[in-house]
Amino acid sequence: MGFNNSDRQLPSQPSAKNLKFEREDWTHFRTVEGLQQKAGVAASKLRRLVLKELADNALDTGAEVDIGQLSSGGYFVEDDGPGIDGSPEEIARLFSINRPMISTKLLRLPKRGALGNGLRVVAGAVLAPEGRLVVITRNRRIELRPEREGATTVVSVEPIDFPVGTRGPTTRTSTARLP
Ligand SMILES: Nc1ncnc2c1ncn2[C@@H]1O[C@H](COP(=O)(O)OP(=O)(O)OP(=O)(O)O)[C@@H](O)[C@H]1O
Ligand SMILES: [Mg+2]
């Protein structure tokens, strides 16, 4: 069969309409295989990628970043930037795999390339091994659970104190049990 005739069907082929698959793009964020595709890194590097995405976000605010390991086995990425805007539900949406691209950086950093996906990758990497995320920002400790259905759930919100004058409202994100 010539290239020009490539749309011709062999008698044994099913009709073209039966070959049309449709799947929401965000479903790729649910599995390690899909995440590898979306993020462009091998499974063994996903943990590093998550920490990089969180550190990128921290550095984008112009803040200083501190990264470390928790005694629970997870990691934290902490910055002394402005904190994350919004209610716990809005923050959960930022960490949801099924959200559209959301970014505050389009105007400020027009040459950055792909935008608004970092936290979806983070949520997916926590979801795949059924981990949880804790975001501490603006005097709240928000525990989040990414869900297979797409929208991340707010598990709990607790007030938390930062010593006045030592450090401003801080974003602290810890990820446990990454692949
Ligand atoms: N540490 C943080 N401090 C303040 N705002 C944050 C922080 N982390 C995330 N955000 C907010 O959440 C938005 C979404 O973050 P996300 O990492 O998903 O996308 P992005 O950083 O805009 O683009 P990309 O990560 O794809 O380069 C950011 O644009 C920013 O407004
Ligand atoms: Mg980012």
Side-chain angles (χ1 to χ4, degrees):
M1 188 190 290
F3 287 120
N4 291 339
N5 296 329
S6 59
D7 58 341
R8 279 207 198 138
Q9 290 181 5
L10 296 171
S12 60
Q13 279 182 325
S15 70
K17 73 177 191 311
N18 291 338
L19 287 174
K20 187 176 165 199
F21 297 103
E22 223 177 282
R23 188 166 68 169
E24 296 257 17
D25 160 79
W26 62 264
T27 59
H28 292 287
F29 287 86
R30 297 202 285 212
T31 61
V32 171
E33 292 70 33
L35 270 177
Q36 292 181 108
Q37 248 182 46
K38 279 282 169 202
V41 302
S44 58
K45 297 233 168 91
L46 277 176
R47 185 193 305 247
R48 277 187 241 183
L49 178 70
V50 164
L51 296 176
K52 179 209 145 293
E53 290 297 339
L54 294 171
D56 275 355
N57 285 349
L59 291 169
D60 284 343
T61 70
E64 301 236 324
V65 192
D66 187 19
I67 302 178
Q69 228 165 343
L70 299 164
S71 50
S72 59
Y75 296 86
F76 70 84
V77 177
E78 186 171 329
D79 68 59
D80 57 358
I84 301 183
D85 232 3
S87 65
E89 288 68 28
E90 284 164 339
I91 292 173
R93 184 156 182 261
L94 277 180
F95 283 86
S96 291
I97 55 174
N98 70 348
R99 69 155 161 88
M101 189 204 86
I102 302 175
S103 183
T104 51
K105 299 169 192 170
L106 288 174
L107 292 175
R108 196 158 55 78
L109 301 166
K111 292 184 184 156
R112 264 173 105 255
L115 282 164
N117 267 333
L119 294 183
R120 294 175 77 193
V121 173
V122 173
V126 172
L127 168 68
E130 296 183 4
R132 285 190 182 186
L133 272 168
V134 174
V135 179
I136 298 175
T137 189
R138 301 199 177 173
N139 292 324
R140 293 159 303 172
R141 180 188 186 279
I142 305 167
E143 185 168 346
L144 301 174
R145 187 177 59 229
E147 309 280 8
R148 279 190 61 75
E149 292 69 32
T152 288
T153 304
V154 178
V155 177
S156 63
V157 184
E158 288 162 26
I160 189 164
D161 273 343
F162 285 100
V164 179
T166 303
R167 189 182 282 159
T170 296
T171 304
R172 182 184 164 112
T173 314
S174 63
T175 58
R177 296 199 296 271
L178 287 177

Short mmCIF file of all heavy atoms in Angstrom, two decimals, residues 53 56-57 60 105 112 116-119, ligand 2:
data_model
loop_
_atom_site.label_atom_id
_atom_site.label_comp_id
_atom_site.label_asym_id
_atom_site.label_seq_id
_atom_site.Cartn_x
_atom_site.Cartn_y
_atom_site.Cartn_z
N GLU A 53 10.26 20.40 41.31
CA GLU A 53 9.09 21.25 41.01
C GLU A 53 8.74 22.13 42.20
O GLU A 53 8.40 23.31 42.04
CB GLU A 53 7.87 20.38 40.64
CG GLU A 53 7.97 19.68 39.30
CD GLU A 53 8.06 20.63 38.10
OE1 GLU A 53 7.67 21.79 38.23
OE2 GLU A 53 8.56 20.19 37.05
N ASP A 56 11.42 24.75 42.50
CA ASP A 56 11.20 25.76 41.45
C ASP A 56 10.16 26.77 41.90
O ASP A 56 10.34 27.98 41.75
CB ASP A 56 10.65 25.09 40.17
CG ASP A 56 11.73 24.52 39.28
OD1 ASP A 56 12.92 24.72 39.58
OD2 ASP A 56 11.37 23.87 38.28
N ASN A 57 9.05 26.26 42.41
CA ASN A 57 7.97 27.15 42.84
C ASN A 57 8.45 28.09 43.94
O ASN A 57 8.13 29.27 43.95
CB ASN A 57 6.77 26.35 43.34
CG ASN A 57 6.00 25.73 42.19
OD1 ASN A 57 6.23 26.05 41.04
ND2 ASN A 57 5.08 24.85 42.53
N ASP A 60 10.75 30.61 42.41
CA ASP A 60 10.00 31.57 41.58
C ASP A 60 9.46 32.73 42.40
O ASP A 60 9.21 33.80 41.86
CB ASP A 60 8.83 30.86 40.87
CG ASP A 60 9.29 30.01 39.70
OD1 ASP A 60 10.43 30.20 39.23
OD2 ASP A 60 8.50 29.14 39.26
N LYS A 105 2.31 32.92 36.59
CA LYS A 105 3.62 33.31 36.07
C LYS A 105 3.64 33.68 34.60
O LYS A 105 4.70 33.96 34.05
CB LYS A 105 4.62 32.19 36.34
CG LYS A 105 4.76 31.93 37.82
CD LYS A 105 5.50 30.68 38.14
CE LYS A 105 5.33 30.33 39.61
NZ LYS A 105 5.84 29.00 39.91
N ARG A 112 9.31 31.13 30.19
CA ARG A 112 9.63 29.96 31.00
C ARG A 112 9.30 28.62 30.36
O ARG A 112 9.67 27.59 30.86
CB ARG A 112 8.87 30.04 32.33
CG ARG A 112 9.66 30.63 33.43
CD ARG A 112 8.75 30.82 34.60
NE ARG A 112 9.00 29.83 35.61
CZ ARG A 112 8.21 28.80 35.85
NH1 ARG A 112 7.16 28.59 35.12
NH2 ARG A 112 8.49 27.98 36.81
N GLY A 116 2.29 25.88 34.69
CA GLY A 116 1.05 25.54 35.39
C GLY A 116 0.83 24.06 35.61
O GLY A 116 -0.28 23.65 35.94
N ASN A 117 1.87 23.24 35.46
CA ASN A 117 1.69 21.80 35.60
C ASN A 117 2.47 21.19 36.75
O ASN A 117 2.25 20.04 37.09
CB ASN A 117 2.10 21.08 34.31
CG ASN A 117 0.92 20.89 33.40
OD1 ASN A 117 -0.22 20.81 33.87
ND2 ASN A 117 1.19 20.83 32.12
N GLY A 118 3.38 21.95 37.34
CA GLY A 118 4.29 21.39 38.34
C GLY A 118 3.55 20.69 39.48
O GLY A 118 3.88 19.56 39.84
N LEU A 119 2.54 21.35 40.01
CA LEU A 119 1.86 20.77 41.16
C LEU A 119 0.97 19.59 40.77
O LEU A 119 0.65 18.74 41.61
CB LEU A 119 1.05 21.84 41.90
CG LEU A 119 1.89 22.95 42.56
CD1 LEU A 119 1.01 23.92 43.33
CD2 LEU A 119 2.97 22.36 43.47
MG MG B 2 5.93 25.20 39.24
#
